[in-house]
Amino acid sequence: MGQKDISLSGSREMTGREQTRTIIVRPAVDIFETNDGLTLVADLPGVSKESLQIDIDQGLLTIEADAKSRLKGETRQQEFVHGNFYRQFQIPNEIATEKISAEMLNGVLTLHLPKAEAARPRRIEIN
Amino acid sequence: MMSLKDLIPWRRDKEIMVDRGVDHPLQQLHWGIDHLFDDFIANMGWSGSAVHDVLSPRIDLAETDKEVIVTAEMPGLDENDIDVSLDRNTLMIRGQKTAEKEDKEKHYYHVERAYSTFYRAVPLPCEVDDEHVKATYKKGLLTVHLPKIRGVAQARKRIEIH
C-alpha cells in the first residue's frame, strides 16, 4: 500500500489520478431545514472530536476526518473502509456562518447552520 | 423562498466515490451473500415485532492468540439500545435507533442515513468463553472482545497425511 503516510492536508492538494490512491469515504449525510436554519447530520463512525475538521471558506463547507485503522490482531474479515472521511457542500448565502455550531455524539456529527436574521421568516404585526 | 437549491454537493467532478477497499472480488461476493442471508433471516419476523428496514452493519473481525475482536459500525445509537448476545458460536448484534427519528415535519434536502434496526449474526471462527465477553460502544463503534477458550489451540490436532 504505502499510502498511509499521505497526510490529509496533502491529499487535498493532490489532483486527479493521484487522489484515487487515497481511500476517501463519503459519509452519509442528512440535511433538513427548520425555521431557524439548516441542520446537517453526518454519520462518522469511529471519528473522535479531535480527528474531525470542519472548515468554511467562501461558502464552501468541508468536513474531513481521519478514521484510523481500529483493529489489533490478525484481520479475518474486513468490511470497513479504512480511509478518510471527506465531503464538501456549498452553503447558501442566507446562513450566518459565524453562528454555525457543531456537536459530535456516538459517531454522529450534527451541524447547526442558523439563518441570518434577515433571512428568517417574520410575522409583521398590524397596528 | 430562499435559494436553498444552492445546497447541493459541490461540483460533481470533485466528488470522490466511495472506494470499498475490498481486496478480492470473491471475498466481496462472499460478504454479499452473507449480508443477503442475514437480511433474509432478520426479515422473517422471528423477533416478534414487525421487522422492516433491517440494516446489516458492516463489521471487522480480527483474531489474536487470546481473543476474537468484532467491531461493528453503528453510528447514532444509544448504548442502551444495543443488544449483544452469543448463541453457541454465533455473535448476534442488534440495535434500534430510538433517540433519533426521521421527522416528516422537517423539510429534508438529503436523506442518506439509516433510520432502522441494525441486525447482524456473526459466525465466530472458534469457540469462545461466553462468561467473559466484553462489549463497548464508543464513537458509534461497537467493539466486542471474545476471549478464546484456553486449550482449544492445543486440542486441535494436526493430522498427518500418510
Side-chain angles (χ1 to χ4, degrees):
Chain A
M1 291 284 279
Q3 297 302 315
K4 293 253 164 73
D5 45 20
I6 293 172
S7 70
L8 259 181
S9 54
S11 69
R12 215 187 324 177
E13 258 82 66
M14 291 196 305
T15 50
R17 192 163 297 174
E18 282 176 89
Q19 202 154 23
T20 59
R21 293 164 70 185
T22 314
I23 296 172
I24 301 290
V25 186
R26 246 180 62 146
V29 165
D30 284 357
I31 299 168
F32 58 84
E33 187 186 356
T34 60
N35 280 341
D36 299 331
L38 291 165
T39 305
L40 185 150
V41 189
D43 277 347
L44 299 164
V47 171
S48 62
K49 243 195 263 181
E50 293 71 33
S51 63
L52 175 65
Q53 213 177 309
I54 306 161
D55 289 310
I56 296 158
D57 186 20
Q58 296 177 356
L60 187 67
L61 172 75
T62 307
I63 298 168
E64 54 184 301
D66 183 12
K68 285 204 182 73
S69 186
R70 300 163 282 231
L71 284 187
K72 55 176 184 174
E74 210 173 314
T75 304
R76 295 275 180 251
Q77 194 169 343
Q78 189 191 315
E79 298 168 5
F80 289 3
V81 186
H82 296 275
N84 297 325
F85 287 108
Y86 186 88
R87 200 153 174 189
Q88 287 186 316
F89 297 92
Q90 190 77 50
I91 57 168
N93 296 332
E94 291 86 350
I95 296 301
T97 45
E98 71 283 356
K99 287 186 186 150
I100 293 175
S101 62
E103 56 200 76
M104 191 75 195
L105 182 70
N106 292 335
V108 177
L109 166 74
T110 307
L111 262 181
H112 298 283
L113 305 112
K115 287 177 196 169
E117 282 299 328
R120 288 189 194 190
R122 202 179 314 171
R123 175 165 288 174
I124 293 153
E125 295 292 327
I126 303 158
N127 294 317
Chain B
M1 274 302 287
M2 44 197 294
S3 57
L4 281 164
K5 278 179 193 153
D6 290 350
L7 200 116
I8 48 166
W10 184 66
R11 277 197 228 159
R12 189 162 292 179
D13 56 317
K14 287 250 175 158
E15 285 236 326
I16 303 138
M17 293 308 290
V18 175
D19 182 349
R20 294 277 173 218
V22 175
D23 301 324
H24 197 278
L26 273 181
Q27 206 162 33
Q28 200 172 15
L29 182 70
H30 176 80
W31 294 335
I33 291 168
D34 271 0
H35 270 244
L36 211 65
F37 273 94
D38 283 351
D39 288 349
F40 175 72
I41 288 164
N43 279 304
M44 296 283 277
W46 290 339
S47 68
S49 61
V51 184
H52 53 90
D53 293 341
V54 175
L55 195 92
S56 181
R58 273 205 292 264
I59 63 144
D60 270 9
L61 193 147
E63 198 178 337
T64 66
D65 291 345
K66 293 191 177 112
E67 58 179 3
V68 177
I69 309 152
V70 178
T71 318
E73 276 185 345
M74 302 165 91
L77 290 178
D78 189 88
E79 214 177 273
N80 301 316
D81 298 333
I82 303 172
D83 180 54
V84 182
S85 58
L86 196 65
D87 183 5
R88 280 183 218 138
N89 258 11
T90 305
L91 176 72
M92 320 268 247
I93 299 166
R94 195 185 297 271
Q96 174 80 51
K97 269 192 191 180
T98 54
E100 238 188 305
K101 285 233 160 62
E102 194 178 1
D103 189 347
K104 298 282 179 235
E105 297 291 299
K106 293 170 190 160
H107 184 42
Y108 278 87
Y109 290 94
H110 273 248
V111 183
E112 298 169 358
R113 299 170 60 246
Y115 292 86
S116 62
T117 303
F118 290 90
Y119 175 77
R120 185 86 191 253
V122 186
L124 299 171
C126 61
E127 271 191 74
V128 294
D129 179 2
D130 56 4
E131 298 286 315
H132 297 97
V133 176
K134 271 189 202 140
T136 51
Y137 182 65
K138 265 185 204 154
K139 299 185 284 184
L141 290 180
L142 174 76
T143 308
V144 189
H145 290 262
L146 306 115
K148 291 181 181 176
I149 292 177
R150 255 181 241 168
V152 168
Q154 289 92 320
R156 191 184 293 164
K157 251 190 183 168
R158 196 192 177 93
I159 295 155
E160 295 291 329
I161 301 158
H162 296 287

